[in-house]
Amino acid sequence: MLRAAAALLVLAAGVLAEPAAAHLDAGSGGDGGFLAGLRHPVTGIDHAVAMIAVGIWGAQLGAPALWVLPVAFPLVMAFGGVLAVAGVPIPGLEIGIACSAILLGLAVASEVKPALWIALTLVGLFAIYHGYAHGAALPAFGVPILFASGFVLATGVLHLLGIGLGSIVNQPGGRLLVRGTGVVVTLVGVWFLIAEIG
C-alpha cells in the first residue's frame, strides 16, 4: 500500500512540475481535440491539486461521498464549461480557482467532515470555476466535444489519484501523509492567490 502511495506521489510530482498554464492556451502545440482536452487539467498545478484534493476528501468522508464528490465534480465542471462557451461572465475566475485549492486543502489537512450536502455544494461551486476555465480555453479549432471529453476524463483520473492517496489513511504514517498533502494543496492555492492579487 505504501509503495502504491509512493508511486502516486511520484506521478503527482510529475504532473505538478508542469507550468501552470492550463487555462491560458489549451490548443497550443496540440490537436484541439481529445488529446488537448486530456492535457488541459494536468498542465496547471492549481487545477491538478484541487482535483486531487476532491478525491482525497471524498476518501476521508467515506461512502457515499467517496463516489458522489468525484462524480459530481466533472458533471458540474462540464456545466461550467458550457457557461464559458456561452459567454456568461464569471467574475474572479482565477481567484475562485486559487480559493478552491486553499479550501479543499484545508478540508483535507484538518479532516473536516461536514454533511454531504455541504461538501457537495462546495465541490460543485469550485467545479463551476474549473469548468469555466476549461471552457474558456477551448481552442478555436478541433472538435469541442472531444476536447470536453478529454478534460472530463483527465479530471476523473486526478480524482482517482486522490482517492488512492486518501485510501492509505489507515496505513502506518498514512494519515500524516494525507493531511500533509492537504497542507501542500493549501500552500499551492495561497501561492496562486498571491500571484493573482499581487
Side-chain angles (χ1 to χ4, degrees):
M1 205 60 153
L2 288 176
R3 286 183 183 165
L8 289 174
L9 285 176
V10 169
L11 178 60
V15 167
L16 300 181
E18 293 296 318
H23 29 97
L24 298 178
D25 185 14
S28 62
D31 61 358
F34 180 76
L35 292 178
L38 197 61
R39 280 191 304 271
H40 197 244
V42 297
T43 55
I45 296 173
D46 49 351
H47 285 293
V49 296
M51 293 175 198
I52 290 170
V54 168
I56 296 173
W57 198 28
Q60 284 178 318
L61 294 174
L66 174 65
W67 59 269
V68 170
L69 297 185
V71 168
F73 193 100
L75 294 176
V76 179
M77 186 181 69
F79 173 71
V82 170
L83 291 178
V85 171
V88 177
I90 292 185
L93 180 64
E94 300 297 331
I95 291 173
I97 290 171
C99 287
S100 74
I102 293 169
L103 294 177
L104 288 167
L106 286 174
V108 169
S110 58
E111 298 178 317
V112 173
K113 295 190 176 179
L116 179 60
W117 72 267
I118 294 173
L120 190 55
T121 301
L122 188 65
V123 164
L125 175 66
F126 294 148
I128 290 174
Y129 280 99
H130 286 268
Y132 193 95
H134 294 315
L138 185 68
F141 56 92
V143 182
I145 191 68
L146 291 178
F147 181 82
S149 298
F151 77 67
V152 167
L153 179 61
T155 296
V157 170
L158 290 170
H159 289 330
L160 288 174
L161 178 64
I163 290 169
L165 187 55
S167 70
I168 67 163
V169 73
N170 293 324
Q171 300 299 316
R175 185 174 180 209
L176 185 61
L177 178 62
V178 169
R179 294 184 76 184
T181 302
V183 171
V184 171
V185 171
T186 300
L187 292 175
V188 169
V190 168
W191 177 46
F192 275 94
L193 183 60
I194 291 170
E196 184 59 29
I197 62 178

